[in-house]
């Protein structure tokens, strides 16, 4: 089922928000796995979660979805406040799409999601003038939430029954039809800039410069683009009749035409050129094993600075080196994204070793000058001094912070 909790700082500790109940995925035993990925708005009043195995509008079909939640909704009658579902679910395009990764703009009005099994990326925007989208809930019933709740609640509050998440622009698929693989889960990491106008897609199994070298593509929103003429490929959304998710029209449904606008690639692909494994100890990484660049990505406020990791990168010339990981930061000059400072690695750390996955997850600040980078299999210094075959803190993991000094991080 899965569960997501939110916490706020009270000056001393992090405490659960409101009644502390959090949000849960569908009904018990549904196996929706809500919380596989979470993103929050800048003010902390909205968040979106991925539920990779959630059912869609056809009973028994599991396309997975992204679901938004809102704090302080006008229809919240709880004395302490609750996180409530906000507008419609955003389904994957086919059965078993496995929607696994999400991100949200700073104001919480734009959401990006990636589907592992298809490699497809979609962006949604909040439209408060749209008819609510009817969607199936986990218990088999149907729901149609507006920005002001269901029809009865909106009417009782004297507020309009309007609002929906609508797809913004086209589906963005992998570079080639067979670039993704369900078992490898390529194009699974995505990010959206704080202002919601730039998106970053990591395709860590892309073979652009070397097998599994990976790459990163950046797109910007062009509101004036007219190709395609409609956002709605095979009618992504319906009006107030029963909803849709797989590509088949629902009898009697009203389909809203799209409007101009398209995601346009910004600059060329950023390809991973490094290796990852030296199996025979000769200091040369294997040609068919790339660094898988694009494992994690993030963007600053306007997407002018992006951070990208290659969690299994390894340095050339180091015997038996593998899966050490590195992070690179790039800055937009109006034509290209150029490397900003030197790549970040743990090469100078005396405790650095193979298999530590530096860059497994990362975050960049709004101004692009501070990075948080995880290395989940990093071994703290005290590990080396412990006796016995099972050190207490082996591979305890660590998060590293890096600041821009004008030349490097």
């Amino acid at each position: 089922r899965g569960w997501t909790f939110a916490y706020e700082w009270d000056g001393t500790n992090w405490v659960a928000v409101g009644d502390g109940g959090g949000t849960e995925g569908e009904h018990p035993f549904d196996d929706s796995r809500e919380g596989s990925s979470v993103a929050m708005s800048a003010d902390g009043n909205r968040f979106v979660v991925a539920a990779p195995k959630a059912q869609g509008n056809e009973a028994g079909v599991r396309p997975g979805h992204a679901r938004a939640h809102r704090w302080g909704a006008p229809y919240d009658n709880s004395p302490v406040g609750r996180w409530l579902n906000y507008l419609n679910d955003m389904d994957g395009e086919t059965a078993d799409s496995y929607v696994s990764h999400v991100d949200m703009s700073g104001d919480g009005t734009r959401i990006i999601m990636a589907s592992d099994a298809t490699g497809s990326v979609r962006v949604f925007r909040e439209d408060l003038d749209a008819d609510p989208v009817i969607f199936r809930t986990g218990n088999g019933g149907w729901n149609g939430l507006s920005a002001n709740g269901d029809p009865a609640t909106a009417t009782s509050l004297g507020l309009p029954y309007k609002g929906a998440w609508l797809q913004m622009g086209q589906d963005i698929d992998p570079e080639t039809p067979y670039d993704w693989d369900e078992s490898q889960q390529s194009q699974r990491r995505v990010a959206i800039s704080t202002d919601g106008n730039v998106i970053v897609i990591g395709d860590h199994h892309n073979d652009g410069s070397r097998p599994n070298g990976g790459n990163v593509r950046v797109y910007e929103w062009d509101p004036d683009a007219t190709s395609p003429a409609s956002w709605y490929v095979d009618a992504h959304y319906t009006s107030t009749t029963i909803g849709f998710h797989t590509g088949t029209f629902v009898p009697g449904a009203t389909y809203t035409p799209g409007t101009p606008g398209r995601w346009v690639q910004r600059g060329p692909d950023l390809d991973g050129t490094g290796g990852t494994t030296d199996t025979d100890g000769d200091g040369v990484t294997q040609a068919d094993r790339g660094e898988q660049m694009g494992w994690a990505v993030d963007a600053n406020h306007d997407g002018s600075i992006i951070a990208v990791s290659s969690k299994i990168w390894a340095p050339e010339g180091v015997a038996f080196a593998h899966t050490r990981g590195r992070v690179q930061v790039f800055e937009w000059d109006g034509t290209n994204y150029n490397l900003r400072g030197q790549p970040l690695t743990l090469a100078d750390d005396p405790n650095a070793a193979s298999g530590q996955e530096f860059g497994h997850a990362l975050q960049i600040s709004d101004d692009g000058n501070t990075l948080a980078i995880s290395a989940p299999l990093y071994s703290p210094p005290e590990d080396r001094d412990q006796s016995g075959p099972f050190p207490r803190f082996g591979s305890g993991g660590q998060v590293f912070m890096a600041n821009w000094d004008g030349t490097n991080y």
Side-chain angles (χ1 to χ4, degrees), residues 376-396:
L377 300 180
Y378 179 86
S379 297
E382 59 267 26
D383 288 8
R384 309 292 178 104
D385 300 327
Q386 294 186 63
S387 60
F390 304 107
R392 182 179 178 185
F393 299 108
S395 299

Side-chain angles (χ1 to χ4, degrees), residues 62-82:
R62 296 181 179 274
H65 68 218
R67 175 176 286 179
H69 300 270
R70 178 181 174 184
W71 180 263
Y75 48 93
D76 180 12
N77 56 14
S78 167
V80 295
R82 293 176 298 170

Side-chain angles (χ1 to χ4, degrees), residues 190-250:
V190 290
I192 191 167
S193 60
T194 308
D195 65 11
N197 290 321
V198 174
I199 59 174
V200 187
I201 302 173
D203 188 352
H204 63 283
H205 280 292
N206 183 279
D207 296 332
S209 62
R210 64 184 297 169
N212 289 328
N215 78 9
V216 171
R217 289 182 288 167
V218 183
Y219 294 81
E220 60 185 350
W221 177 245
D222 182 354
D224 299 318
T226 56
S227 176
S230 169
W231 303 344
Y232 297 77
V233 179
D234 292 332
H236 286 150
Y237 283 101
T238 68
S239 183
T240 51
T241 51
I242 290 174
F244 155 90
H245 80 86
T246 61
T248 56
F249 286 85
V250 176

Side-chain angles (χ1 to χ4, degrees), residues 271-318:
D271 289 329
T273 58
T276 176
T277 305
D278 168 25
T279 56
D280 55 14
D282 64 359
V284 178
T285 57
Q286 270 44 63
D288 62 342
R289 301 185 183 185
E291 63 180 294
Q292 295 189 14
M293 179 179 175
W295 175 262
V297 296
D298 198 20
N300 73 330
H301 177 83
D302 60 1
S304 60
I305 301 174
I306 63 170
V308 178
S309 78
S310 305
K311 76 161 188 171
I312 66 170
W313 172 88
E316 298 277 358
V318 178

